[in-house]
Amino acid sequence: MDNLTHLRTFCSLVVRKYTSPEWLSTDKLAEEFLSHYIDIPLKNFPVDMATLSAVARACGATVSPHRMPGKLRGYHEVIDGNRVNIYYREDDSLSGKENTILHELREIMEPFFAGFCSSYNPLSIRALHREADRFAAAVLLPQGPFRDKVYETGLDIPALGQFYAKSHAQILLRIGEVLHGERFFYGAVYDAEPGFVPIFRVSYWAGSANQDIPEANFYGPRGFLPRKGKSAELDSLVEMAADSLRPCHVNRIFFSEYENNDLTAVAQPVVNGDEVSRVCLLVLLHPDRKLLKPLLERVRPITVASFDGHL
């Protein structure tokens, strides 16, 4: 199909089913999109570039690479109101190209939603950009199958990245989204800064909280869970993993006499040859330590018996 009729029809069906786009979540819209366009068992066959290109064509979009200035990753142009060209950065990663296609498709949907629902207040440019990013992640890493895979692997960020062919950062951020409200979780990706002695600094972090049981969350010292830009301390679990070239695990980090506020953590180095380019950090409440069993059995980390340093 070489026009936008099919995508308009999809948006019309969504409005007819939910009355207004405001009444369905990003994950629900992604679920409807997948059900409408992609009929494959997503748990075993992640959405790939070939599939997305075919979906884009079905939506009336022509997809092609393009040289782009600065950090621009993609854009689209509507022609004669009925055809659209989507351009992605030609030197982007495969994951980045997939994100761009879905991001642009979600932006194209917005005026259709407004046209079919007179009460709908279209998102601002900035809000639409954020929503399009979330939509892309929700299609590429569907909530239900992805959550199942997260628990199946023991929240193993590198293993999930390999299975879905996605960056560690994208996997981390999506874990934070699908676990939000369900349980406490903290994770971070530390990237190595070049130097005689590499410095590992947080490039991405994500977290979630248990909204049903307030006490099933972490109430530790301010700053204990590092944020973006924070470098790893010399006595940290991250540095231990980087120095040893092996995953390191702390079964219990004590904060009080009550187990509910204690933590368990794993730091996994990404090793290229004899150098560590990245460390993925994962933190849960100690009562949830059983969730890490598949990861620990697979990677057989160094267990740190006594730990009173930084993450």
Side-chain angles (χ1 to χ4, degrees):
M1 185 172 291
D2 59 359
N3 59 55
L4 294 169
T5 300
H6 205 295
L7 190 59
R8 281 195 184 92
T9 301
F10 168 73
C11 294
S12 174
L13 292 172
V14 168
V15 170
R16 190 179 308 169
K17 183 174 182 178
Y18 295 94
T19 305
S20 172
E22 294 175 320
W23 293 5
L24 77 163
S25 67
T26 304
D27 281 306
K28 195 63 181 177
L29 177 60
E31 182 181 313
E32 293 288 349
F33 184 84
L34 287 166
S35 176
H36 191 80
Y37 286 106
I38 305 173
D39 185 22
I40 57 175
L42 295 171
K43 184 173 182 180
N44 300 315
F45 299 97
V47 179
D48 57 19
M49 187 67 175
T51 303
L52 288 180
S53 296
V55 168
R57 288 194 297 273
C59 291
T62 300
V63 177
S64 57
H66 194 68
R67 287 187 179 183
M68 303 210 178
K71 296 182 179 180
L72 183 64
R73 301 188 71 172
Y75 65 94
H76 69 270
E77 58 179 0
V78 178
I79 303 170
D80 299 329
N82 206 35
R83 292 182 296 116
V84 65
N85 293 332
I86 294 177
Y87 302 101
Y88 59 80
R89 191 182 188 94
E90 64 179 2
D91 58 350
D92 205 348
S93 65
L94 179 59
S95 178
K97 295 171 183 176
E98 293 168 351
N99 271 281
T100 295
I101 293 172
L102 288 164
H103 178 108
E104 299 303 321
L105 285 174
R106 175 60 186 88
E107 289 191 350
I108 295 166
M109 292 181 202
E110 190 67 4
F112 295 158
F113 285 143
F116 289 118
C117 181
S118 59
S119 63
Y120 177 61
N121 186 23
L123 298 172
S124 67
I125 293 176
R126 180 174 295 182
L128 179 57
H129 181 80
R130 291 194 297 265
E131 173 62 17
D133 280 342
R134 288 192 289 265
F135 174 76
V139 171
L140 293 170
L141 303 169
Q143 185 179 37
F146 181 70
R147 181 194 283 114
D148 291 344
K149 203 71 179 178
V150 166
Y151 287 132
E152 179 186 317
T153 62
L155 289 82
D156 190 332
I157 294 172
L160 289 164
Q162 184 174 15
F163 177 80
Y164 285 102
K166 300 292 176 285
S167 69
H168 296 150
Q170 188 171 3
I171 292 294
L172 168 68
L173 296 174
R174 187 61 176 149
I175 291 176
E177 290 176 349
V178 301
L179 296 188
H180 187 66
E182 186 173 312
R183 67 180 67 257
F184 167 81
F185 157 82
Y186 168 84
V189 171
Y190 286 74
D191 283 314
E193 295 183 351
F196 181 73
V197 179
I199 297 174
F200 290 88
R201 196 178 301 277
V202 176
S203 52
Y204 293 91
W205 72 275
S208 67
N210 189 321
Q211 294 181 333
D212 295 326
I213 309 174
E215 58 270 24
N217 288 294
F218 176 64
Y219 299 98
R222 183 180 179 86
F224 185 75
L225 302 175
R227 298 299 192 252
K228 186 172 182 177
K230 176 70 174 177
S231 60
E233 303 286 348
L234 293 178
D235 63 346
S236 67
L237 192 66
V238 169
E239 284 288 349
M240 290 182 191
D243 290 343
S244 65
L245 305 184
R246 287 186 58 191
C248 291
H249 169 231
V250 178
N251 179 55
R252 187 170 183 179
I253 303 174
F254 290 87
F255 283 96
S256 69
E257 58 186 296
Y258 303 106
E259 180 191 23
N260 285 350
N261 202 43
D262 293 338
L263 302 176
T264 186
V266 181
Q268 292 177 264
V270 177
V271 183
N272 300 309
D274 59 353
E275 295 184 353
V276 176
S277 60
R278 172 175 294 161
V279 178
C280 297
L281 177 67
L282 168 64
V283 183
L284 295 175
L285 290 175
H286 187 252
D288 287 335
R289 62 193 180 279
K290 62 183 179 297
L291 298 176
L292 298 177
K293 184 178 179 182
L295 165 63
L296 300 179
E297 290 181 345
R298 185 168 52 255
V299 304
R300 298 187 179 278
I302 297 171
T303 299
V304 182
S306 178
F307 183 82
D308 57 3
H310 299 82
L311 289 174

